[in-house]
Structure formats: structure tokens, C-alpha cells
Amino acid sequence: MKKVMDLIGDQEIKETMGRVWDNLDRTKRMKDERVNPADNKIRASQIRKLAEDGLKTRIEKDSSGIALILAGGGAKASYQVGACKVLMEHAADRLPADITGIAGTSAGALNAALLAGAGIEVMLQQWECIEEEGMNGTDGFFGPSEENDRYLEKLIRRSGVVSGITMDSPLTVVTAFDYNKAYPMDFILNTMSDEEKVNCLLASAAVPVAFRQRDIRGVKYIDGGIPVFGSNVPIAPMYYLGYRRFIVIHCASRREAAGLSGLGVLGIGLNREEYFNGASFVHLYPRRDMGGLVGGTINFNHEFIVDNIAAGCEDMYAALDEFGIFSEEVGAYDEVHVVDGERCRTYAEVLRNL
């Protein structure tokens, strides 16, 4: 690597490459040194402890409702806006219970906050007014400047979600990644101060290199969906809180998800058939290819975002009939999953059918 760096004349490119290398090296060391077989128990106890902070009675009641899970995906998360718009318009007619909890990671966390704290119309407006140059800055998305970091913070603050998420709002959970302990941690925004809410949202979306890590109560956090170790689809915290009915909106097509599942990128224990015993799910995947990193995740072009919103609307309309599973009996050791119209009994079967 040093020889390659010596050949680079441009100082800004050299600094960017150095930052990328440092983060890759950090990730490798986390993988080599990670000795935490009980991380799921740690995560479960952590979210339950947070729930005891004035929310225990409420969660016991709310967890009988439905949890909405919003996966991370950068600009591809604009797909969730269209899907959520149709969902909110038809929820009363199609769902046997209210959506009482929303959880998200990275861009999905931002969407969760927008939906819970401001509503679908503000969520739609915020995505439609994103400026591509604001997210990319003068040095590109992964450039050495922090312009995109400041721009994202400005978007969060001006949206009004921070003051909108209160004890009366739907339970709002976001996932970030503990930089030192190397496992995902979850935060309930409803009980936090406004500044802590901003910090948690920025931490959950803090893609290494592109955004700076965030300090939350003395601990450093980065993007909650970091590959291999993260939790890009945060079903787990809501399951630990007692929820057993889930609507999951992904940002990757089924084909993309099949390629990522072997890496553990989904971060929800997909290899364990018993992981979500007694739960029922409707999984919504984009039916079209959403593009890779450059063409999708960091593509904040207005036309791309508008097309994604329209695709989300179309796909959710097609999925509305699947919500009938939430009225069915689910056995104590049984699961029901509907993935784009196909029924599966376990997550292992979900994977085989991706």
C-alpha cells in the first residue's frame, strides 16, 4: 500500500486513499479480534434496559401491534418513501393492528425518524428536495471534505423530526455500530434529548470515510449497517421488545440480497432457523435492480430518487393483499414469511428462495 501511496501525486486523493485504507484495516482487525459469541444476548439486554426507561408499560401494550422495519441503503432508501406512502394510505383498511413501532438503520433510520416524527408528506418532501451536490460535496461522496456530513446534519435539523419524536410518537428505534466493541447497538429515540436524537441519526448513517464517527454518551459509533458485522435490517431489537408481526422494506432487490446474505450483511442471524420463532413477516423487495454502490447507494440524482419513490409505490400496492397473514394464527414455534408474494416457513427458506 505504501508503494501505491508514493505514486499518487495529488495530496487530496492521497488523503482520501489513506482514510479508506485505515478503515479497511480497522475492519480487518475487528474481524480478526472479534470474540463475542453472546452478542445477541448483549444486544437484547441493552434494548430491554432502554425500554425500562419510562417505556416498559407502553411497550408491553405496543408490541402487540406491528413493527415497520426499514433497511439501510443510502439513496436507494428513497424506494421506502413510496412504499411507506401507500402503506400509510391503506394501513387502516388492510392491517388488523396499528403500526406502533418503527426501526431503521442508516438511511432507513433517517426514514424511520421522518415517518415517526414528521409524517409521510414531510418524508416525501425531504427526499424530493435533496441536492445531489450537497450529498457529494466538492470532493465527491467519499472525498476528504466534510461537506456531505454537514449537509446531512442540516437536512435532519430542518426536517423537524427531532422535536417531532416524542413519548406520544410511535416507538422509534435506530441502530448504530459500536466502533470499539464491534457489534451493533440500538437506541430508542423517544426518551432522548433533541441533541442525542440528532447524534444517533448521524451515527446510524455514518458511512466510514464519507461521514465522521459520532460520540453518543462517551462511545464512538459508525454506520449501523456496516458489512459483515452490522445490522442493516434491524428486526432483532423490535423482536427483543416483544413484537411478533413485521413489515420489512428492503432497499436491495432479491437478487442483490441473495448475493449479500452469505456475507452476513443483513445482520439478523439468517442462518438460524429458530431466530424469530413465532413471528410473521411481510418482506418487500424492489422488483427492479436498484444499482450498485455508485449507480444506486450514492446516487442522489433527483431523477433516480423520483423513480425509486414511484417504484416503491407500485411494489407496495402489489403487496397489500399479503397483509392477511397478520390475522392468521402463528404457532409458538412457527413462522410465516411472505417474500414478494411467495410464502416461506423459516428464514432459511427465505434465503433459499431469494
Side-chain angles (χ1 to χ4, degrees):
M1 179 63 179
K2 186 177 185 303
K3 290 182 179 180
V4 173
M5 295 289 282
D6 289 340
L7 294 174
I8 299 175
D10 190 290
Q11 186 60 32
E12 288 189 354
I13 294 177
K14 184 177 290 188
E15 288 176 0
T16 301
M17 289 295 293
R19 292 172 68 192
V20 171
W21 180 258
D22 287 345
N23 278 275
L24 289 174
D25 184 57
R26 167 69 179 165
T27 301
K28 181 180 182 301
R29 283 187 284 113
M30 285 194 300
K31 183 176 181 180
D32 291 342
E33 299 170 8
R34 182 180 171 122
V35 183
N36 187 18
D39 61 334
N40 288 327
K41 291 182 179 179
I42 293 172
R43 191 174 179 191
S45 63
Q46 184 255 359
I47 189 72
R48 287 169 182 157
K49 184 176 179 181
L50 289 178
E52 292 176 357
D53 186 14
L55 286 170
K56 187 174 181 180
T57 302
R58 175 187 164 176
I59 289 173
E60 288 175 354
K61 174 177 175 288
D62 285 359
S63 60
S64 63
I66 295 170
L68 176 63
I69 310 298
L70 302 176
K76 292 188 285 190
S78 51
Y79 171 86
Q80 295 170 345
V81 181
C84 287
K85 184 175 187 298
V86 172
L87 178 62
M88 294 300 108
E89 289 171 351
H90 294 272
D93 299 329
R94 299 299 184 112
L95 296 177
D98 292 334
I99 295 174
T100 57
I102 308 174
T105 296
S106 198
L110 302 177
N111 280 342
L114 282 166
L115 194 59
I120 189 62
E121 291 304 323
V122 173
M123 185 181 182
L124 183 63
Q125 292 167 9
Q126 288 296 306
W127 274 97
E128 288 184 337
C129 74
I130 286 179
E131 299 169 359
E132 185 176 8
E133 59 272 22
M135 288 304 300
N136 289 329
T138 56
D139 301 306
F141 188 79
F142 292 106
S145 75
E146 294 185 352
E147 292 177 24
N148 49 353
D149 196 276
R150 292 191 294 270
Y151 181 71
L152 180 59
E153 182 170 351
K154 183 177 78 172
L155 288 180
I156 292 171
R157 291 186 183 279
R158 82 179 185 191
S159 68
V161 300
V162 172
S163 57
I165 299 173
T166 66
M167 294 293 283
D168 296 324
S169 306
L171 190 69
T172 310
V173 176
V174 302
T175 298
F177 189 79
D178 187 318
Y179 189 75
N180 292 312
K181 293 183 179 178
Y183 57 79
M185 299 297 279
D186 310 292
F187 300 92
I188 301 175
L189 298 188
N190 305 70
T191 61
M192 290 184 153
S193 69
D194 286 356
E195 284 306 305
E196 284 180 319
K197 292 173 193 173
V198 172
N199 245 358
C200 283
L201 291 170
L202 289 170
S204 184
V207 178
V209 182
F211 299 94
R212 65 184 177 88
Q213 60 187 17
R214 293 284 167 165
D215 186 293
I216 303 173
R217 299 177 182 177
V219 179
K220 299 293 184 184
Y221 290 92
I222 56 175
D223 190 294
I226 186 171
V228 183
F229 309 114
S231 180
N232 201 47
V233 188
I235 296 170
M238 306 307 275
Y239 185 85
Y240 296 144
L241 290 176
Y243 283 88
R244 293 297 181 265
R245 292 183 285 186
F246 301 89
I247 298 172
V248 187
I249 305 178
H250 298 264
C251 296
S253 68
R254 291 179 69 179
R255 181 183 64 79
E256 292 174 286
L260 295 174
S261 61
L263 298 175
V265 175
L266 299 183
I268 51 177
L270 293 181
N271 60 321
R272 297 179 54 188
E273 294 187 21
E274 77 280 10
Y275 198 78
F276 296 127
N277 282 341
S280 54
F281 296 79
V282 171
H283 289 267
L284 182 67
Y285 289 89
R287 292 177 183 263
R288 65 184 179 91
D289 191 333
M290 298 292 283
L293 174 65
V294 176
T297 306
I298 63 173
N299 181 7
F300 290 92
N301 176 271
H302 179 72
E303 185 177 346
F304 178 71
I305 288 173
V306 170
D307 287 347
N308 285 346
I309 294 172
C313 286
E314 183 179 349
D315 289 355
M316 183 56 82
Y317 270 122
L320 289 175
D321 290 340
E322 310 300 345
F323 294 144
I325 70 162
F326 295 135
S327 300
E328 298 177 6
E329 285 292 326
V330 181
Y333 298 99
D334 206 358
E335 303 171 33
V336 177
H337 305 267
V338 175
V339 182
D340 288 350
E342 297 178 20
R343 287 202 173 205
C344 305
R345 302 304 298 185
T346 65
Y347 249 120
E349 191 178 343
V350 169
L351 283 181
R352 287 196 296 272
N353 287 280
L354 281 178

